[in-house]
């Protein structure tokens, strides 16, 4: 304590010393401030500072002396002075945050040097000085004058890169600005283009691929890029270009895809090239890529890629045809199940786990409406055992002769769905499936027969056998017979041939669409089947026939709930076609009935599906703004507009995030019809991708006062968790089952959601995006939309007699596996790392593409946002994305002892 007091007193005891101290402190502060000023002013000489300041002083004097020499009339002194200036500027090193010293000290002389340049006569020295002025202008020139570029264009033709990276970047910025001005004033731009094409190779050489692409984009010359690309730079350039596509407006977006495709083809990267051809939806380009590939192994890999997208090409080689037709999909799926030990069939009770539901005794969940509960179990059983070929309800050994025991536990239309469930259980396995279903085709009960017809269609979904069994067996029932059988056989043909665009099927089904004596149900299902078959291809007679039918039918027919499938059938033809839909929209606007408005919205939605087009999302939200009087006009188009927001934003992470926020607003302020569609839109946006925030939101909506909102939300929970076995969602659904144990309709949907969650025992996905979320499967989108649209009037369709529409999800079902095959297409175990995918676009060096990985041996399952890569160099992958079927070949340079 005492010491402290002494310390405190000391200064006051000696007033003189305190004054001295004060002065010293002030001086120090002043010196510090002076230093600061010197640094900021960049030009003031540096007195009495460290040695470096003497060097700076010397450099400053030398530069001033060189400038004076340039002002003199002695021409012989000019060249050495310019050389010295050039050397000093080029060799000066600088940190990223400060301007190089020579540029600082030359600042006051910039205008003088400009005058000197103007006064000299035309000579090599004058061009050399222009080069130096161009570099100096980078730091001194006024905004908008673009003097760096001005002097560069009148300077020597020396390489711009010699002056450093920062200078080249500055130059490219000015080129972009001047180009825009010249285009506006209709002036020539050849000199700018020539300079830009000199700068691009420099950027590519120095890992600034993004700058090179951006410069050519500004000059509208992206087609010039492929000539500068080599095997070192192609991967980064193309990754950047493809990632830019969603952010560009037409026609730049397609120009980027075409240029990236050209680069891949130039370097013989066929899998990458064909992926972009599929993304562009250009059938001719796909065929050209496929035919141009000479390596038989790579060609098989391409065939697997096309099969995943359900694009069929005619080939003579039988091995290739098997890859293209997905012939061995079932076999590989069963081997995956064996590997994961999930072959054992599961019963619906294994899924429900009723013993965990806290329901008071006497209120067991089965006792409310046994037929409805059995129907739910039928669907759960079909989804859970889908693709495995055996279950404990339909394919049991003991009653293979009287295999009707479970079917007869369902009422009328329930029998239809029960028999049809065989199609899902034997999904992709055409031979065994047909054997199992065949006996029901001769049943005297129409519903059982109709179910068998639907099952045959489902079996063939996504695969093609040697013979076209589905068409051969179903075509006879399309023309005549019981209405139910006709409807299911037409729908079955649609499911079996989704995406095949077969003209002979159009000839079969178009008369049914246009025949106005038939019921709306038949015409609408025929239109829907044509939509599935010709999804994304509109250059045929189908659109005109469907529109004609809409115009000719009576209002009574058009008011039928089935009419929505006429609209969907038409809209599916334009999936992803963007502008091509405009003429059709104009035609549809002439229809006076409200189906015209509904079809118009659906057409616009599907044409821009997955594009992330902001303007279209806004136009959908405008539709949701209107407050419509339900009694006077129909408001169904608003539900489609809500689904449209999800469909357009799907596949784009930023768009998804923004639309989730939008849905929140719509739920708060929207009309009932909009509120009922929001959960369905959430389900569509995040299929098989159980994000926590979305699950919580849907869980909240599933307890909504409006039972339709709750029903939509429960189904959406099933879509979001489909095939993931998500434990949190399973718990939520069990709680919902006990919450709704007295309400058969809601309980029915809770069961279906549980079935979807455990689809394929957790080995499948129904997300339409695949190949590292780059490609959207049209058949999958069509199937999902068919079932989602049924929920816009759930009482008529799902809770009524047409619950079989749920089976349309079959076109979207696909195993989420990675199976590695050797050169003979036999499975070969390979070590892979599986982790969360990381976006590495434009990052320097070679960043890791996955994070938090685990190492597995194939076959493995991949979740929605996961990515796999080979862990060792033992094999070389022929596919650019490890997903689905991947062909591997031995690496000849690999040595075993490296392991």
């Amino acid at each position: 304590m005492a010491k402290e007091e002494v310390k405190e007193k000391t200064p006051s005891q000696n007033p003189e010393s305190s004054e001295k101290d004060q002065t010293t402190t002030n001086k120090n502060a002043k010196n510090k401030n002076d230093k600061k000023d010197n640094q900021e002013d960049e030009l003031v000489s540096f007195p009495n500072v460290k040695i470096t300041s003497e060097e700076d002083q010397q450099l400053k004097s030398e530069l001033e002396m060189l400038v004076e020499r340039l002002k003199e009339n002695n021409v012989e002194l000019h060249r050495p002075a310019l050389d010295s200036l050039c050397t000093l500027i080029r060799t000066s090193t600088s940190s990223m945050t400060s301007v190089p010293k020579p540029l600082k000290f030359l600042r006051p002389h910039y205008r003088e040097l400009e005058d000197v340049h103007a006064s000299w006569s035309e000579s090599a020295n004058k061009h050399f000085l222009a080069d130096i002025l161009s570099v100096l202008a980078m730091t001194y020139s006024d905004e908008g004058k673009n003097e760096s570029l001005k002097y560069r264009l009148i300077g020597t033709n020396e390489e711009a890169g010699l002056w450093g990276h920062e200078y080249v970047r500055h130059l490219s910025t000015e080129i972009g600005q001047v180009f825009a001005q010249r285009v506006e004033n209709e002036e020539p731009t050849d000199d700018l283009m020539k300079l830009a094409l000199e700068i691009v190779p420099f950027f590519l050489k120095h890992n600034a691929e993004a700058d090179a692409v951006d410069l050519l984009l500004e000059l509208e010359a992206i087609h010039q890029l492929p000539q500068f690309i080599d095997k070192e730079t192609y991967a980064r350039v193309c990754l950047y270009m493809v990632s830019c596509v969603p952010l560009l407006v037409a026609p730049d977006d397609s120009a980027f895809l075409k240029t990236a495709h050209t680069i891949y083809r130039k370097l013989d990267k066929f899998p990458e090239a064909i992926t972009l051809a599929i993304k562009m939806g250009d059938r001719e380009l796909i065929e050209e890529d496929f035919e141009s590939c000479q390596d038989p192994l790579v060609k098989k890999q391409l065939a697997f890629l096309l099969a995943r997208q359900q694009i069929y090409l005619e080939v003579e080689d039988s091995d290739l045809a098997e890859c293209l037709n997905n012939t061995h999909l079932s076999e590989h799926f069963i081997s995956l199940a064996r590997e994961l030990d999930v072959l054992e069939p599961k019963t619906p009770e294994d899924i429900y786990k009723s013993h965990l539901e806290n329901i008071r005794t006497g209120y067991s969940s089965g006792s409310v409406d046994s037929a409805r509960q059995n129907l739910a179990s039928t669907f759960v059983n079909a989804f859970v055992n889908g693709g495995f070929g055996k279950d404990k309800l339909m394919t049991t050994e003991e009653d293979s002769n009287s295999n009707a025991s479970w079917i007869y536990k369902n009422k009328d239309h329930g029998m239809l769905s029960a028999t049809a469930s065989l199609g899902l259980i034997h999904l992709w396995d055409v031979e065994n499936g047909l054997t199992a279903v065949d006996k029901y085709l001769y049943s005297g009960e129409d519903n059982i027969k109709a179910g068998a017809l639907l099952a045959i269609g489902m079996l063939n979904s996504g695969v093609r056998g040697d013979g076209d069994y589905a068409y051969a067996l179903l075509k006879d029932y399309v023309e005549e017979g019981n209405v139910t059988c006709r409807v299911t056989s037409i729908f079955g043909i649609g499911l079996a041939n989704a995406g095949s665009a077969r003209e002979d099927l159009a000839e079969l089904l178009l008369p049914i669409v246009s025949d106005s004596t038939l019921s709306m149900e038949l015409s609408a299902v025929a239109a829907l089947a044509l939509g599935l078959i010709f999804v994304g291809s509109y250059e045929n007679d189908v659109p005109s026939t469907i529109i004609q039918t809409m115009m000719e039918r009576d209002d009574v027919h058009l008011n039928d709930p089935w009419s929505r499938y006429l609209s969907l059938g038409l809209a599916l033809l334009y999936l992803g076609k963007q502008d091509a839909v405009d003429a059709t929209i104009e035609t549809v606007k002439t229809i006076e009935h409200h189906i015209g408005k509904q079809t118009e919205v659906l057409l616009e939605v599907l044409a821009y599906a997955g594009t992330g087009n902001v303007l279209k999302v806004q136009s959908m939200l405008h539709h949701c703004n209107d407050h419509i009087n339900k009694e006077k006009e129909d408001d169904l188009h608003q539900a489609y507009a809500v689904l449209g927001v999800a469909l357009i934003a799907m596949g784009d992470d930023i768009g998804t995030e923004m639309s989730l926020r939008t849905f929140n607003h719509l739920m708060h302020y929207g009309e009932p019809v909009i509120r009922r569609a929001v959960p369905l839109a959430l389900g569509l946006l995040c299929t098989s991708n159980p994000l926590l925030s979305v699950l919580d939101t849907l869980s909240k909506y599933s307890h909504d006062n409006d039972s339709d909102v709750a029903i939509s939300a429960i189904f959406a929970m099933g879509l979001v968790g489909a095939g993931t076995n998500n434990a949190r969602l399973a718990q939520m659904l069990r709680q919902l089952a006990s919450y709704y144990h007295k309400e058969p309709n809601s309980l029915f949907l809770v069961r279906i959601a549980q079935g979807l969650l455990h689809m394929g025992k957790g080995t499948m996905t129904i997300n339409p995006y695949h190949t590292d979320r780059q490609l959207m499967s049209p058949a999958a989108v069509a199937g999902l939309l068919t079932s989602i649209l049924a929920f816009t009037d759930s009482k008529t369709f799902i809770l009524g007699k047409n619950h079989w529409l749920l089976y349309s999800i079959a076109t979207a079902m696909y195993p989420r596996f990675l199976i590695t095959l050797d050169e003979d297409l036999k499975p070969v175990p390979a070590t892979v790392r599986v982790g969360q995918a990381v976006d590495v676009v434009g990052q320097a060096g070679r960043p890791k593409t996955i994070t938090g990985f685990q190492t597995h041996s194939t076959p493995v399952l991949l979740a929605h946002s996961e990515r796999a890569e080979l862990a060792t160099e033992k094999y070389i992958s022929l596919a650019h994305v490890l997903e689905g079927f991947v062909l591997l070949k031995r690496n000849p340079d690999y040595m075993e002892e490296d392991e």
Side-chain angles (χ1 to χ4, degrees):
M1 186 69 188
K3 272 183 187 174
E4 279 177 22
E5 280 170 11
V6 171
K7 263 187 186 173
E8 277 174 22
K9 282 177 188 170
T10 316
S12 54
Q13 283 166 353
N14 192 346
E16 286 175 25
S17 71
S18 74
E19 273 174 32
K20 257 185 199 168
D21 286 352
Q22 199 66 38
T23 334
T24 324
T25 320
N26 289 347
K27 266 187 187 171
N28 288 346
K30 201 172 175 196
N31 282 353
K32 272 184 186 168
N33 286 343
D34 284 353
K35 264 189 198 174
K36 221 178 196 177
D37 287 347
N38 287 349
Q39 284 169 355
E40 281 172 15
D41 196 12
E42 300 179 345
L43 298 169
V44 184
S45 54
F46 292 67
N48 60 29
V49 223
K50 302 172 196 164
I51 304 170
T52 50
S53 56
E54 287 176 21
E55 289 172 2
D56 289 346
Q57 188 62 47
Q58 191 183 342
L59 176 62
K60 186 168 182 288
S61 313
E62 192 178 340
L63 289 166
E64 282 169 355
M65 185 255 304
L66 292 171
V67 172
E68 287 306 318
R69 277 197 190 163
L70 292 176
K71 287 183 191 170
E72 290 172 18
N73 293 332
N74 185 348
V75 181
E76 289 175 8
L77 292 175
H78 291 168
R79 186 71 196 189
L82 287 169
D83 284 337
S84 303
L85 264 180
C86 172
T87 311
L88 284 171
I89 293 173
R90 282 188 187 169
T91 53
S92 67
T93 53
S94 70
S95 70
M96 289 298 284
T97 50
S98 65
V99 181
K101 295 263 167 61
L103 295 188
K104 278 184 189 178
F105 298 145
L106 284 169
R107 180 170 200 160
H109 309 293
Y110 176 62
R111 295 299 167 206
E112 294 171 30
L113 285 172
E114 277 198 307
D115 298 339
V116 169
H117 179 268
S119 65
W120 283 4
S121 58
E122 196 64 38
S123 65
N125 288 352
K126 182 168 183 171
H127 294 313
F128 197 4
L129 179 57
D131 276 358
I132 291 172
L133 279 169
S134 176
V135 178
L136 297 182
M138 176 167 69
T139 45
Y140 314 140
S141 173
D142 297 330
E143 190 71 31
K145 280 197 171 177
N146 300 318
E147 289 181 357
S148 271
L149 180 59
K150 179 180 115 182
Y151 285 115
R152 172 75 206 172
L153 291 171
I154 54 176
T156 61
N157 285 330
E158 207 174 16
E159 214 179 301
L162 294 172
W163 296 100
H165 197 276
E166 199 49 49
Y167 170 65
V168 179
R169 287 188 64 171
H170 186 82
L171 208 53
S172 76
T173 310
E174 292 195 358
I175 290 173
Q177 290 166 355
V178 174
F179 182 83
Q181 289 165 12
R182 288 202 195 172
V183 168
E184 207 171 302
N185 303 331
E186 297 182 359
E187 295 170 7
T189 55
D190 299 349
D191 51 346
L192 295 180
M193 190 65 76
K194 181 169 176 283
L195 180 57
L197 294 178
E198 287 168 17
I199 289 177
V200 167
F202 174 83
F203 277 145
L204 292 172
K205 201 170 168 188
H206 292 84
N207 294 338
E209 294 88 353
D211 292 334
V213 173
D214 291 346
L215 176 60
L216 288 177
L217 171 64
E218 283 183 56
L219 301 194
E220 296 167 10
I222 198 71
H223 57 276
Q224 301 272 17
L225 186 60
Q227 60 188 350
F228 303 113
I229 305 291
D230 56 22
K231 65 176 191 297
E232 305 300 325
T233 51
Y234 84 92
R236 287 167 61 90
V237 169
C238 291
L239 179 63
Y240 178 70
M241 288 178 75
V242 174
S243 307
C244 284
V245 170
L247 309 173
L248 294 171
V249 291
D252 289 338
D253 51 358
S254 54
F256 261 49
L257 283 174
K258 281 177 185 151
T259 307
H261 179 269
T262 310
I263 293 169
Y264 281 139
R265 277 298 305 272
K266 177 183 164 190
L267 292 154
D268 287 343
K269 300 288 173 191
F270 286 101
E272 290 93 330
I274 210 162
T275 303
L276 292 185
I278 294 171
K279 203 177 169 86
M280 287 187 268
D282 188 333
R283 178 91 187 186
E284 287 174 12
L285 203 55
I286 293 168
E287 288 179 13
E288 186 194 322
D289 288 348
F290 189 71
E291 295 305 328
S292 310
C293 178
Q294 298 306 316
D295 183 334
L297 270 179
V298 176
K299 208 161 186 174
K300 282 178 187 165
Q301 183 64 66
L302 298 185
F304 280 126
L305 265 173
L306 292 174
R308 175 69 181 95
Q309 190 71 356
Q310 298 193 17
I311 295 173
Y312 302 114
L313 303 177
E314 291 300 323
V315 287
E316 287 167 12
D317 181 348
S318 61
D319 283 353
L320 259 186
E322 284 185 352
C323 301
L324 270 168
N325 293 339
N326 260 335
T327 312
H328 297 300
L329 179 57
S330 176
E331 185 183 312
H332 287 301
F333 179 61
I334 299 291
S335 72
L336 166 84
R338 196 174 293 117
E339 192 82 19
L340 298 174
D341 198 21
V342 290
L343 265 182
E344 190 58 36
K346 287 197 168 183
T347 62
E349 183 48 46
D350 295 340
I351 303 304
Y352 302 158
K353 302 200 167 121
S354 307
H355 59 282
L356 296 177
E357 295 171 10
N358 50 352
I359 299 173
R360 293 196 306 280
T361 48
Y363 281 119
S364 83
S365 51
S367 68
V368 185
D369 173 354
S370 59
R372 179 50 58 95
Q373 285 306 312
N374 285 352
L375 182 59
S377 298
T378 298
F379 281 108
V380 171
N381 181 56
F383 286 132
V384 172
N385 296 302
F388 286 90
K390 53 184 178 190
D391 69 313
K392 289 187 176 172
L393 296 186
M394 296 294 297
T395 59
T396 46
E397 294 297 319
E398 53 271 19
D399 46 29
S400 54
N401 302 324
S402 63
N403 195 350
S405 53
W406 178 257
I407 293 178
Y408 284 105
K409 285 182 185 169
N410 291 279
K411 281 187 196 159
D412 313 334
H413 48 85
M415 293 181 183
L416 193 162
S417 287
T419 318
S421 68
L422 280 168
L424 210 51
I425 292 164
H426 290 282
L427 192 62
W428 311 313
D429 184 358
V430 181
E431 283 182 23
N432 294 333
L434 286 174
T435 314
V437 175
D438 185 56
K439 52 175 141 334
Y440 297 112
L441 285 173
Y442 310 108
S443 165
E445 182 75 52
D446 282 337
N447 281 314
I448 293 180
K449 195 188 238 178
L453 294 168
L454 181 54
I456 290 171
M458 239 186 302
L459 282 177
N460 289 275
S461 172
V463 294
R464 296 179 81 182
D466 306 333
D468 186 359
Y469 301 120
Y471 178 61
L473 290 165
L474 297 178
K475 70 170 192 286
D476 299 339
Y477 294 93
V478 170
E479 304 287 344
E480 57 213 30
N482 173 291
V483 174
T484 317
C485 290
R486 288 182 75 177
V487 167
T488 53
S489 59
I490 292 168
F491 190 55
I493 285 182
L495 291 179
N497 296 285
S500 65
R502 285 174 47 185
E503 290 295 337
D504 57 332
L505 297 176
E507 289 168 21
L508 176 72
L509 297 177
L510 279 176
I512 299 172
V513 176
S514 55
D515 188 344
S516 54
T517 59
L518 296 174
S519 68
M520 194 67 203
E521 182 179 1
L522 265 172
S523 291
V525 172
L528 174 62
L530 286 166
L532 287 164
I533 294 163
F534 290 94
V535 62
S537 58
Y538 58 92
E539 290 161 343
N540 44 48
D541 299 337
V542 182
S544 54
T545 311
I546 296 179
I547 294 172
Q548 193 67 30
T549 306
M550 286 180 184
M551 290 174 169
E552 288 173 0
R553 284 280 182 143
D554 303 338
D555 285 4
V556 182
H557 288 148
L558 294 176
N559 289 337
D560 188 303
W562 276 103
S563 64
R564 71 197 63 210
Y565 285 110
L566 265 184
S567 309
L568 180 62
L570 176 61
L572 285 172
L573 305 171
Y574 292 92
L575 182 66
K577 292 300 173 210
Q578 303 195 21
D579 300 348
V581 80
D582 294 346
T584 312
I585 286 181
E586 290 307 317
T587 316
V588 167
K589 279 181 181 171
T590 61
I591 299 173
E592 289 170 13
H593 188 272
H594 52 68
I595 194 172
K597 182 74 175 164
Q598 296 165 14
T599 312
E600 181 194 330
V601 174
L602 267 180
L603 279 166
E604 200 171 347
V605 165
L606 279 146
Y608 289 89
T611 57
N613 187 312
V614 184
L615 298 174
K616 293 297 167 193
V617 172
Q618 286 171 351
S619 90
M620 290 302 126
L621 291 173
H622 278 301
H623 287 303
C624 299
N625 269 346
D626 309 331
H627 293 286
I628 291 170
N629 183 347
K630 187 94 166 90
E631 289 159 16
K632 289 182 185 166
E633 50 182 318
D634 190 79
D635 55 4
L636 184 60
H637 67 275
Q638 292 189 317
Y640 296 164
V642 176
L643 293 173
V645 174
L647 204 56
I648 294 168
M650 190 165 59
D652 167 27
D653 294 340
I654 301 167
T656 302
E657 212 167 300
M658 287 165 70
S659 40
L660 289 177
R661 204 174 317 142
T662 310
F663 290 144
N664 205 4
H665 297 316
L666 289 175
M667 204 63 189
H668 282 165
Y669 308 115
E671 298 288 312
V673 66
I674 292 173
R675 295 186 73 242
R676 287 167 195 163
V678 167
L680 297 173
L682 286 170
L684 185 58
L685 201 58
C686 307
T687 35
S688 296
N689 180 20
L691 301 172
L692 276 182
S693 56
V694 176
L695 288 183
D696 289 343
T697 310
L698 287 172
S699 176
K700 190 169 70 188
Y701 297 159
S702 64
H703 296 80
D704 198 275
N705 295 333
D706 180 344
S707 65
D708 287 336
V709 173
I711 280 173
S712 296
I714 295 167
F715 179 62
M717 287 166 95
L719 290 179
V720 170
T724 60
N725 279 359
N726 186 294
R728 185 189 178 108
L729 184 51
Q731 179 60 30
M732 282 179 184
L733 289 170
R734 279 199 293 276
Q735 285 167 353
L736 275 175
S738 45
Y739 180 76
Y740 283 124
H741 72 278
K742 282 187 179 175
E743 292 180 34
N745 285 350
S746 304
L747 185 59
F748 174 64
L749 275 152
V750 172
R751 298 307 187 204
I752 283 176
Q754 287 176 309
L756 287 169
L757 170 64
H758 296 280
M759 180 186 281
K761 300 173 200 160
T763 57
M764 292 199 192
T765 176
I766 57 171
N767 194 298
Y769 279 86
H770 59 92
T771 314
D772 206 10
R773 302 192 301 291
Q774 287 177 32
L775 299 178
M776 179 176 82
S777 161
V781 172
L784 278 174
L785 273 178
T786 304
S787 57
I788 285 174
L789 231 58
F791 278 88
T792 53
D793 184 355
S794 52
K795 287 188 172 60
T796 306
F797 294 106
I798 304 301
L799 303 173
K801 296 186 175 181
N802 304 305
H803 31 72
W804 49 266
L805 281 166
L806 280 172
Y807 286 129
S808 63
I809 293 178
T811 60
M813 288 166 66
Y814 199 84
R816 52 191 183 92
F817 57 24
L818 159 62
I819 288 190
T820 44
L821 306 172
D822 63 12
E823 297 168 23
D824 303 321
L825 302 185
K826 296 278 180 286
V828 55
T831 319
V832 290
R833 288 193 277 261
V834 178
Q836 285 296 314
V838 180
D839 188 8
V840 294
V841 180
Q843 289 186 16
R846 291 193 179 150
K848 296 272 183 282
T849 54
I850 57 174
T851 178
F853 59 80
Q854 291 181 321
T855 308
H856 298 282
S857 177
T858 56
V860 292
L861 292 177
L862 300 176
H864 174 259
S865 53
E866 285 182 338
R867 191 182 278 162
E869 56 183 39
L870 290 173
T872 62
E873 291 179 4
K874 184 174 181 181
Y875 294 103
I876 298 170
S877 160
L878 296 182
H880 61 304
V881 175
L882 294 191
E883 200 177 296
F885 294 109
V886 173
L887 285 171
L888 301 179
K889 65 177 182 187
R890 299 287 301 222
N891 183 352
D893 306 330
Y894 179 76
M895 293 165 75
E896 289 295 338
E897 58 261 35
D898 291 355
E899 286 186 352

